Amino acid sequence: MMAAAQTEHSPPGLQDGAEASAVEVLDAECYLIRDLLGPEEQAALFQYIQERDKTPWDSLPRAMVPSPKTLLLGENEPSLKFEFGEQSIIGSMVEAASDVLYRRGLRDESSETVDLRKYQSLTLAVIRYEAPDGRFAPHVDHCNDSYVYLASLGCTANFMVKGPGMAEKRAFKFRSGDLLVFNASTRAALLHGVMSIDVASCPPGLSEAAPDLREHRYGVQCRMHV
């Protein structure tokens, strides 16, 4: 059984615009990195997504309780793919998160552990949640040989995780600029989901640069294939 969540602090300046961040170990191979992305990095990531978003928002029917919507980032495709070594804002974010974990000694250097710094490829998918009723039912990914790097942009999500080593589920505020890393395999069996979105919780500077985030949370999922 896992002990209470451990917290490790990183030195100031690790990420531009971010204050000293913290890493919480929620379960084996499940890490919450606070404030990985500073305000400028969040704005740049959102702009990158907007420039590639081909979702026909104007023609979509408006539901009384809008459900989360997966963006179309390519021609009728919900995801984009990046090969290892390909330069992109997505690769840089993933590599920065991995670097935090290894600098803190939270990833084993032994050959028996997957090296998150040497992956095969990444796929990017983005889900848009409307406040306050945006939610995603708890689920396990069952995607073997992969890790998920999940960043949050905009309004704060009320998120939950429950792993095999946890005595009970952990609910937490998943704020803009935070990033969750976890093993997405069936073996890891990490249950996770979005319970709701806090209204008017987007950081002021970001909401001015990206007005759509004033009432929405974007879940930016980078799946690493190892």
Side-chain angles (χ1 to χ4, degrees):
M1 183 178 297
M2 292 285 292
Q6 306 168 43
T7 300
E8 297 285 344
H9 289 278
S10 63
L14 181 63
Q15 294 295 320
D16 292 342
E19 297 179 357
S21 59
V23 181
E24 299 178 48
V25 182
L26 303 181
D27 195 25
E29 297 192 282
C30 180
Y31 317 94
L32 176 61
I33 306 176
R34 294 290 191 185
D35 301 316
L36 178 77
L37 303 176
E40 292 183 2
E41 292 164 318
Q42 294 174 53
L45 178 58
F46 184 72
Q47 180 179 352
Y48 180 90
I49 292 168
Q50 277 201 313
E51 290 171 351
R52 288 154 182 80
D53 182 14
K54 300 183 183 299
T55 310
W57 295 110
D58 293 340
S59 63
L60 293 178
R62 172 72 182 178
M64 290 184 65
V65 180
S67 60
K69 176 65 179 176
T70 300
L71 275 60
L72 293 177
L73 298 178
E75 295 300 333
N76 297 316
E77 293 289 339
S79 62
L80 296 176
K81 185 175 181 179
F82 307 86
E83 299 298 334
F84 178 71
E86 182 177 344
Q87 296 298 312
S88 71
I89 191 172
I90 303 303
S92 296
M93 178 180 70
V94 167
E95 289 160 15
S98 294
D99 187 58
V100 169
L101 298 182
Y102 281 95
R103 283 174 179 266
R104 304 303 174 276
L106 298 174
R107 290 294 301 179
D108 192 345
E109 297 283 354
S110 75
S111 60
E112 288 136 13
T113 301
V114 173
D115 190 341
L116 300 180
R117 298 164 298 185
K118 299 177 182 178
Y119 54 86
Q120 294 184 15
S121 63
L122 300 170
T123 52
L124 169 69
V126 181
I127 301 179
R128 180 181 186 250
Y129 298 80
E130 186 167 323
D133 297 316
R135 57 177 53 88
F136 203 113
H139 62 284
V140 173
D141 280 6
H142 297 295
C143 190
N144 294 330
D145 299 320
S146 77
Y147 285 74
V148 165
Y149 287 62
L150 179 61
S152 197
L153 290 178
C155 292
T156 298
N158 293 298
F159 205 87
M160 66 77 60
V161 297
K162 172 67 170 67
M166 302 169 67
E168 56 187 25
K169 74 176 183 180
R170 168 75 185 277
F172 60 90
K173 297 287 187 182
F174 200 163
R175 299 184 177 89
S176 193
D178 294 345
L179 186 140
L180 183 70
V181 181
F182 62 91
N183 185 332
S185 69
T186 297
R187 173 187 62 79
L190 188 84
L191 188 71
H192 58 287
V194 177
M195 313 315 292
S196 64
I197 307 297
D198 289 345
V199 175
S201 56
C202 181
L206 183 60
S207 65
E208 292 173 7
D212 191 47
L213 295 179
R214 294 172 185 170
E215 298 179 353
H216 296 92
R217 179 254 183 178
Y218 278 56
V220 184
Q221 177 184 280
C222 305
R223 188 176 298 277
M224 174 187 287
H225 304 276
V226 297

